[in-house]
Amino acid sequence: MNGRPRAQPIYEVMTPAPITVSPDTTVAELMQAFDRHDFNAFPVVAEGGALVGIVTKLDVLRLFRPVAGLQIPADVAAPGVRVAEIMRRGVLNVEAEDPLVTAAELMVATRLRSLPVVRHGPTGPTLVGIVTQGDLLRGLRFELSERQTTDTRIE
């Protein structure tokens, strides 16, 4: 061993199998999920676990922007409004094997609180977890502690 600690991969600190919604989830169901779980965002997955987007509380709030006359649009809570209509596609994500610093750099650059974690397969990116700022801080704290212990042994 070269005396340097290994770079800890994201899969060691991520939350595996996060709670998700589908593109067909209604906005009413989504709002209930936000209340139940108090998350700021949900990954949107298609059948088979393919990551197709992300939907945030801000995306829902955009629906409530007043129209002319400062009135909330009447069709906001209509049963036909689905997550597919408001989600963001082209989601920033990290791979499970990436080092923690990769996710940290991306979060700092974009100010995101969490990132979907994927594994790329023949059908595209499959969601395997989610990593938050708190997950990264815990993992990096452990990595720093390990490095200090190693550095002490080398001296």
Side-chain angles (χ1 to χ4, degrees):
M1 189 168 186
N2 63 6
R4 296 179 68 198
R6 67 177 177 79
Q8 189 175 11
I10 292 170
Y11 69 81
E12 289 184 0
V13 300
M14 72 180 191
T15 299
I19 297 170
T20 63
V21 296
S22 81
D24 293 328
T25 301
T26 66
V27 169
E29 293 168 330
L30 177 63
M31 290 173 70
Q32 289 174 352
F34 278 129
D35 285 345
R36 190 174 325 119
H37 300 290
D38 195 32
F39 297 154
N40 288 308
F42 287 102
V44 182
V45 295
E47 287 186 36
L51 179 66
V52 295
I54 196 158
V55 64
T56 67
K57 287 180 178 177
L58 190 59
D59 296 324
V60 175
L61 288 173
R62 282 190 187 101
L63 287 173
F64 290 96
R65 284 187 295 194
V67 292
L70 298 178
Q71 295 181 2
I72 295 175
D75 61 348
V76 167
V81 179
R82 306 269 179 215
V83 165
E85 298 173 50
I86 65 170
M87 71 182 193
R88 291 183 234 169
R89 301 172 195 284
V91 182
L92 290 175
N93 59 69
V94 290
E95 294 196 34
E97 293 77 16
D98 286 343
L100 297 183
V101 293
T102 299
E105 288 175 11
L106 191 53
M107 283 182 183
V108 168
T110 61
R111 296 185 179 198
L112 292 173
R113 296 179 187 182
S114 61
L115 291 167
V117 182
V118 300
R119 284 211 166 94
H120 288 278
T123 59
T126 300
L127 184 71
V128 295
I130 196 155
V131 65
T132 66
Q133 291 175 349
D135 296 332
L136 290 177
L137 288 172
R138 281 186 293 281
L140 291 169
R141 184 179 67 224
F142 176 78
E143 201 169 295
L144 288 172
S145 171
E146 187 177 286
R147 184 173 297 156
Q148 288 172 346
T149 302
T150 304
D151 289 347
T152 304
R153 283 189 220 143
I154 293 173
E155 294 174 5

